[in-house]
Amino acid sequence: MNRQLHIFTNGFVRENPLLVLNIGLCSSLGVTTSIFNGLGMGMSMTFVLVMSEIVISIFRKHIPSSIRLPVFIIIIAAFTTIVQLVLQAYVPSLYDALGVFLPLIVVNCIIMGRVESFASKNSVGNSILDAFGMGIGYTLVLVIISLIREFFGGGTLMAGTAAKIDVIPEAYRIGMLNSAPGGFIVFGFLGAAVQFFKKRKEER
């Protein structure tokens, strides 16, 4: 039981794909200008990661090592296409907002890294726990970055939805946070905070 809990919570902080492993940064900084976009990207990634790990874990003993990477990419691409079609049909505003970053899920380092290092070597049950843990950790970071950038940079909450709220007058907004450098700045502060608390914990 302790091992399963460790696997599930591993992606929250200890091996958070963004703040600790520093992978998948391009899409995370590209879409986190609003909570709606960040949450949508996180849920899309989590779905593809969970389904890919399940399928690869099931067939891990039957995939020849010489062609494992092409097979992994085909599986990931299939679930990414499902996400694209569903969003295009039912949430077109999110589909348009995510843009090119949605199809790029296929080559996202987070998914490729987990299916290669974990799903291809572990049971289905553990792979599901790993995928959900990594997906939740990834989504939480996206939402936090999105919240900071949208609130202080755009002066709104839930932009892109019917529940949009204007909270900061335009004259007091930090417009730079809506740009790529602003995303790196917010990410840098979050990464530094995580490292600070990890160091404090190790010292204790």
Side-chain angles (χ1 to χ4, degrees), residues 100-186:
V100 69
F101 294 107
L102 196 55
L104 284 177
I105 289 177
V106 175
V107 291
N108 192 291
C109 298
I110 299 172
I111 298 180
M112 287 298 297
R114 296 320 295 176
V115 298
E116 168 68 15
S117 65
F118 197 92
S120 62
K121 302 170 184 174
N122 288 274
S123 67
V124 176
N126 286 342
S127 295
I128 293 174
L129 291 175
D130 175 75
F132 270 114
M134 288 290 167
I136 292 172
Y138 175 80
T139 303
L140 285 175
V141 174
L142 286 191
V143 171
I144 292 171
I145 295 176
S146 299
L147 175 62
I148 295 172
R149 294 180 70 186
E150 182 181 357
F151 185 84
F152 292 104
T156 63
L157 289 175
M158 295 305 295
T161 69
K164 177 184 174 182
I165 305 172
D166 291 312
V167 289
I168 298 179
E170 187 172 353
Y172 298 97
R173 298 172 185 174
I174 308 173
M176 182 190 67
L177 293 181
N178 290 325
S179 65
F184 273 105
I185 290 172
V186 174

Side-chain angles (χ1 to χ4, degrees), residues 8-49:
F8 177 66
T9 59
N10 204 32
F12 292 3
V13 177
R14 287 188 300 271
E15 289 188 19
N16 186 280
L18 292 175
L19 297 180
V20 178
L21 301 182
N22 293 326
I23 55 179
L25 297 182
C26 292
S27 60
S28 63
L29 298 180
V31 304
T32 50
T33 53
S34 76
I35 298 173
F36 180 61
N37 294 352
L39 185 60
M41 185 65 179
M43 293 177 65
S44 299
M45 274 281 297
T46 301
F47 171 80
V48 175
L49 181 57

